[in-house]
Amino acid sequence: MKIGFVSLGCPKNLVDTEVMMGQLVADGHELTPQPADADVIVVNTCSFIDPAKQESVDTILEMAEYKKTGKAQRLVVAGCLVERYRADIQNNLPEVDAVLGTNELNKITALCEGLAPKEIAAEPYLYHDMTARVFTTPKHSAYIKIAEGCDHPCSFCVIPQFRGQFRSRRFESVIREATGMFAQGVREINLIGQDTTCYGEDFGMKDGLAALLGRLAEIPTDFPKWVRFLYAYPNKVTQKLLDTIAAHPSLAKYIDMPLQHASGPVLKRMKRGANADIFLKLIERIRATIPGVAIRTSMIVGFPGETEADFAELSDFVQAARFDRLGVFSYSDEETSKSFALDGKVDSKTIYNRKRSLMALQRKISRARNRQLIGSELPILIEGPSQETDLLWEGRLMSQAPEIDGVCYINDFGPGAPRPGEIRTIRVTEAHDYDLVGELVDLPETGYVSPKQSPVSPFQILNSNPTKPLSAATR
Ligand code: SF4
């Protein structure tokens, strides 16, 4: 059969999509990037906040149309929306033929074939290095999910309810997977999880992420490589972790650390603790330990009880911290979250205004920080011809994570034309609010080998992606 996929939400969900694709191909099915061609369509959903839920339902209904207009016989819905609303989907969306949750990825083939899947105890699922997987990211860049679930009690968050308790992948399994990827010519690996900084705690490891990063940095390759991790929890960012990043050139000088707010009283109601002073000291320690480090964070505005004074404190903090990247979410009142019961709900107009105000503040900071880079020569990972215009190529600096951050446009190839996946040196010549422009200054890599794995793309969704926070880097 020809199977088509829609993958919504975060990179963790994308890895689940890649695992489901891998199993279907291993079981003899074919993948198609054209919804009209598909015999079966799978929508891997997201549901952590209202806009994400709405997008998931819209996409399911959009894909259901192909059962009327295309070849599709079956529509299968997977992912976080199923975990939260399985019965609602089964009762209210007759277009949907089958559903599977985030711990049931190994049922995908049976459900696509319309067979009753073998009842598998819904063990908390975690793929490993021998799991079949089809890559959907560009050949030179890939995600590795190093853990699943979360044990933190953040009162606004429902993710632990459907992703389950925190569990790490086996250390050597991650090392083998990465070694295999580098052998395929992957140049950049992004480690992901709900909270990567807890890695190994469930095995009794201390500073497990630092140990893992150290080992990954030592995997020998004949080409320069980058390893980045996303989703750090602030009070888990240890000196050992920072020293490890500083010690290895291939570890990205990049810290993605959602702080969610800066006002002590708001953070207390969020069940996250800390405050602006504690965070400013942490940021100072990060910048002192890792020269040139880029720091990304995300904030929530409009949390129940957030006063004008709390928001002013958050704005002052953002002004003082001068983050390289900042994403802002509007508080989403999720009915199964602990914060749903809190008083002091903030009206939507105020939430909207606070979001715009914080974004405007960050846009100025981002522009000023980008301008400081003009004239500097930095390593750049070549992505390929720009999606914006074919007059330019684009790439990313170590300080620019895929999908969520800006890019660096290349308007002069210098001593030699670039090739996708190559890591070259760029001199920054122009700076914009979120993106940069520059010219290549070094010779092409000798012994360059084009990365091998060939990505298969899920369907391009017609409607834009409302789950992406209105972040400074969203163009
Ligand atoms: S750490 Fe992240 S995933 Fe875990 S509960 Fe908090 S917000 Fe949710």
Side-chain angles (χ1 to χ4, degrees), residues 150 152 154 156-157 159-160 194 233 260 272:
C150 186
H152 291 287
C154 309
F156 54 82
C157 183
I159 293 173
Q194 305 303 343
Y233 195 89
Q260 311 299 5
R272 289 182 62 97

Side-chain angles (χ1 to χ4, degrees), residues 386-406:
S386 169
Q387 292 156 19
E388 312 284 330
T389 156
D390 46 21
L391 298 173
L392 296 172
W393 273 48
E394 63 183 58
R396 285 182 290 106
L397 308 182
M398 249 188 181
S399 60
Q400 297 172 319
E403 293 285 314
I404 53 177
D405 293 335

Side-chain angles (χ1 to χ4, degrees), residues 12 48 149-161 163 193-195 231-234 258 260 270-272 300 338:
K12 290 150 275 182
F48 79 118
C150 186
D151 295 345
H152 291 287
C154 309
S155 60
F156 54 82
C157 183
V158 290
I159 293 173
Q161 292 167 20
R163 286 283 175 175
Q194 305 303 343
D195 170 5
Y231 312 104
Y233 195 89
Q260 311 299 5
M270 285 181 167
K271 296 207 179 316
R272 289 182 62 97
I300 295 175
K338 299 186 204 72

Side-chain angles (χ1 to χ4, degrees), residues 13 44-47 78-85 102 162-163:
N13 222 28
N44 191 13
T45 60
C46 173
S47 74
C80 300
L81 193 78
V82 174
E83 288 297 338
R84 292 189 74 184
Y85 305 105
T102 56
F162 48 83
R163 286 283 175 175

